[in-house]
Amino acid sequence: QVHVVESGGGLVQPGGSLRLSCAVSGSFFSSFNMGWYRQAPGKTRELVAVITNDGSTNYADSVKGRFTISRDNAKNTVYLQMNSLKPEDTAAYYCNAALKYINYWGQGTQVTVSS
C-alpha cells in the first residue's frame, strides 16, 4: 500500500514562511500526480497546488505568487513552499497522490498563521 506522510506545519506570524513536505512510499512516485489541499474549520477541502508527473504546476488563485509546489522524484517527496502567509491560510494541509483512478491521502499537517 502507498503511504503518504505530511510534515512541516506549525504556527507562524503573518508574513512568515513555512515549507511543507510530503513523503510517499513505494516505487511509483514519479508516475503520480501530486497535490496539496487544505481544509479550514467549517469549510470544504480545496485544492491549493498541483504538480503533475511531468512537472507541470497549477495553483489556486488565492496562493498564486506566494506558494510554490515542487517535487524531488529521487526522494519520493513533494514540497509546498509557503511565503507571505496570511491568517486566511490557516488550515489543515493534506497531500494527495493520484494515479489513474486511485488516490492516496496523508493524515494532514496543521498550519496556523496568527499574531
Side-chain angles (χ1 to χ4, degrees), residues 11 13 21 46 49-50 61 64-66 69 77 82 100:
L11 174 64
Q13 294 185 342
S21 298
E46 65 173 346
V50 167
D61 287 342
K64 285 181 179 177
R66 300 188 298 120
I69 189 171
T77 302
M82 305 186 295
K100 295 185 179 292

Side-chain angles (χ1 to χ4, degrees), residues 8-12 16-20 80-83 85 111-112:
L11 174 64
V12 295
S17 297
L18 282 175
R19 189 174 80 154
L20 306 183
L80 185 68
Q81 178 66 47
M82 305 186 295
N83 298 325
L85 283 162
V111 172
T112 302

Side-chain angles (χ1 to χ4, degrees):
Q1 184 176 340
V2 174
H3 298 280
V4 180
V5 181
E6 304 98 333
S7 62
L11 174 64
V12 295
Q13 294 185 342
S17 297
L18 282 175
R19 189 174 80 154
L20 306 183
S21 298
C22 172
V24 182
S25 68
S27 302
F28 304 101
F29 177 79
S30 62
S31 297
F32 283 104
N33 294 326
M34 301 296 302
W36 285 98
Y37 293 71
R38 67 187 182 188
Q39 187 168 18
K43 304 191 72 174
T44 58
R45 188 170 297 186
E46 65 173 346
L47 179 66
V48 176
V50 167
I51 184 165
T52 66
N53 55 12
D54 63 359
S56 179
T57 61
N58 203 2
Y59 300 89
D61 287 342
S62 59
V63 307
K64 285 181 179 177
R66 300 188 298 120
F67 290 10
T68 302
I69 189 171
S70 61
R71 65 192 298 161
D72 187 339
N73 289 343
K75 297 181 178 179
N76 281 21
T77 302
V78 63
Y79 305 95
L80 185 68
Q81 178 66 47
M82 305 186 295
N83 298 325
S84 301
L85 283 162
K86 305 174 181 180
E88 51 262 45
D89 295 317
T90 296
Y93 283 71
Y94 297 89
C95 183
N96 172 261
L99 180 61
K100 295 185 179 292
Y101 299 102
I102 307 299
N103 286 270
Y104 301 94
W105 292 92
Q107 81 288 350
T109 185
Q110 179 67 37
V111 172
T112 302
V113 184
S114 177
S115 298

